[in-house]
Amino acid sequence: MKKIIAFSFIVMNCFFLQAQTYKEWVRKADSCYTAKNYELSVSYYEKAFKIEQKDYRDLYDAGCSASMAKMNKKAFKWLNLSIDNGYENIAHIKIDNDLKPLHSEKEWNKTIEKLQKKLDIIGANYDKVLEKELAAIYTDDQEIRGEFMNVYRASKPDKKKIDSIGKIMQRKDSINLIKIMKILDERGWLGKNVVGTQGNQTLFLVIQHADLKYQQKYLPMMREAAKNGNASPANLAYLEDRVALREGKKQIYGSQSSKNKKTNKICIAPMIDPDNVDKRRAEVGLGTMAEYAVKLNIEWNLEEYKKELAETEKLENTKQ
């Protein structure tokens, strides 16, 4: 479970929102997880799961909260339900810091074996050599970012450590990019039917973390792959937005944040047609802006956003 949120707005959500629907309970549980109130997060996930237990991502996140709350029995229950409902990322579950407290339990190996057996059945016809290579690249990409965020989110971040880990991350990214470019150039954007969900996700992650010129090179390939069902439309949306902003344009799906130059606070980077952003997000399988804003520790107010966007554009035009 990897969520980057500060405390103020989250704590407010954690204690004062009157949740009733499944999504509202999950949103509240997520807020409490970020506020490090893991026990309360678990209690809200329990309320959500009394309504339904279908989304493997929520079940997985609930397992993370339970692990951090030292409720190991619940953690394993939810992790196993997550696997039953579609969770497949074995590389991630092995390196997730939230789940490390479970590693010493006998049930941990059983859970990993269960997931591996499921993947063996699903991936009987996968390219095993390539799948293994992509799993290693995924671990390289995500593990170092986990280290970086642990230092970055500390109450008193150590700048030397941040710089040191940042350099290691850049080096790993360069090596991973060379490997991924070779795969893409020789075989194209491979779907999960060839390399599995995790392998397919790895292709996106490495390009998403690359320099603009490489993102521009492979964006058309990913667009075509998404049309053919070989790439996630949600992942494509993230890449589309990142490239647009780097090219000096407005993003489409509101997936990218930035710092307000006047207030120095996190905000949603400029986007086209904010009134219809939730419609565009729904079309690619992303949640609403209000749901996404909670993960960034900001409150989404469409009218306020449009007002701030107009002011920013006016300021930029004045400078020109």
Side-chain angles (χ1 to χ4, degrees):
M1 191 168 186
K2 307 289 181 188
K3 308 279 172 71
I4 307 165
I5 320 174
F7 282 0
S8 56
F9 178 65
I10 289 308
V11 172
M12 182 184 74
N13 273 339
C14 186
F15 293 106
F16 299 119
L17 282 180
Q18 295 300 312
Q20 292 182 7
T21 68
Y22 173 82
K23 281 191 174 183
E24 286 170 341
W25 283 124
V26 168
R27 181 174 171 180
K28 200 170 181 182
D30 187 45
S31 297
C32 290
Y33 162 85
T34 308
K36 298 186 179 180
N37 193 332
Y38 302 116
E39 290 185 11
L40 196 55
S41 176
V42 167
S43 72
Y44 289 142
Y45 275 121
E46 286 178 326
K47 292 179 185 297
F49 297 149
K50 283 181 180 177
I51 299 172
E52 63 178 79
Q53 290 186 3
K54 296 179 181 178
D55 194 316
Y56 69 85
R57 291 160 296 191
D58 294 336
L59 287 161
Y60 181 88
D61 287 349
C64 290
S65 284
S67 172
M68 296 300 285
K70 298 181 180 178
M71 299 179 182
N72 292 0
K73 189 174 180 180
K74 275 190 173 69
F76 283 118
K77 174 187 174 183
W78 285 335
L79 288 174
N80 278 283
L81 280 170
S82 176
I83 293 168
D84 292 340
N85 282 274
Y87 186 83
E88 296 179 14
N89 198 336
I90 195 164
H92 183 77
I93 198 173
K94 287 179 178 179
I95 64 173
D96 195 330
N97 287 329
D98 288 350
L99 302 179
K100 285 185 178 178
L102 304 178
H103 289 196
S104 60
E105 300 285 334
K106 289 182 180 179
E107 192 66 27
W108 176 253
N109 288 333
K110 291 180 182 178
T111 301
I112 297 301
E113 286 170 11
K114 174 181 178 176
L115 178 54
Q116 187 61 63
K117 284 179 182 178
K118 174 186 173 179
L119 295 177
D120 288 342
I121 295 169
I122 294 172
N125 298 316
Y126 290 172
D127 183 324
K128 295 298 182 181
V129 174
L130 194 50
E131 183 188 19
K132 185 177 179 180
E133 181 184 356
L134 288 169
I137 293 172
Y138 179 95
T139 300
D140 261 356
D141 181 273
Q142 291 295 294
E143 202 164 33
I144 191 65
R145 281 175 166 78
E147 273 185 61
F148 181 87
M149 291 314 303
N150 283 339
V151 176
Y152 183 80
R153 287 183 290 181
S155 54
K156 292 183 180 179
D158 186 325
K159 190 177 184 303
K160 285 186 179 180
K161 278 188 179 180
I162 289 174
D163 290 343
S164 176
I165 296 173
K167 287 177 182 177
I168 295 171
M169 187 161 63
Q170 287 179 340
R171 187 164 64 249
K172 284 180 176 286
D173 285 353
S174 297
I175 294 169
N176 288 338
L177 180 61
I178 291 169
K179 294 175 181 177
I180 292 299
M181 286 176 63
K182 186 175 187 297
I183 294 168
L184 294 176
D185 291 344
E186 291 180 358
R187 301 188 59 178
W189 202 287
L190 299 171
K192 60 183 181 180
N193 62 315
V194 179
V195 292
T197 302
Q198 178 185 283
N200 183 255
Q201 173 79 355
T202 302
L203 298 176
F204 157 72
L205 286 172
V206 173
I207 298 303
Q208 181 76 345
H209 298 150
D211 290 340
L212 176 60
K213 64 180 179 180
Y214 300 111
Q215 293 176 334
Q216 290 170 324
K217 177 181 178 180
Y218 293 106
L219 178 56
M221 184 187 288
M222 190 179 185
R223 284 174 181 153
E224 195 62 29
K227 286 180 185 177
N228 298 328
N230 290 330
S232 159
N235 286 345
L236 175 61
Y238 274 87
L239 185 59
E240 294 276 14
D241 279 356
R242 186 161 291 190
V243 169
L245 290 172
R246 284 181 161 187
E247 290 178 340
K249 303 171 186 175
K250 292 180 181 178
Q251 61 177 330
I252 302 167
Y253 302 97
S255 69
Q256 305 296 301
S257 60
S258 60
K259 274 192 177 181
N260 185 300
K261 292 178 182 178
K262 290 176 71 176
T263 65
N264 207 37
K265 292 181 179 179
I266 296 294
C267 62
I268 301 299
M271 75 171 90
I272 63 167
D273 185 21
D275 289 300
N276 292 300
V277 65
D278 279 346
K279 181 181 177 183
R280 295 193 297 275
R281 288 175 67 88
E283 287 170 353
V284 295
L286 292 173
T288 65
M289 284 303 301
E291 291 167 344
Y292 181 55
V294 170
K295 297 175 182 179
L296 298 176
N297 189 30
I298 59 177
E299 187 171 4
W300 175 249
N301 183 310
L302 177 60
E303 295 307 316
E304 195 63 34
Y305 175 80
K306 289 194 292 183
K307 182 181 175 183
E308 290 176 2
L309 185 60
E311 289 174 356
T312 302
E313 289 175 343
K314 186 178 179 181
L315 185 63
E316 292 296 326
N317 291 333
T318 303
K319 291 179 181 178
Q320 292 175 0

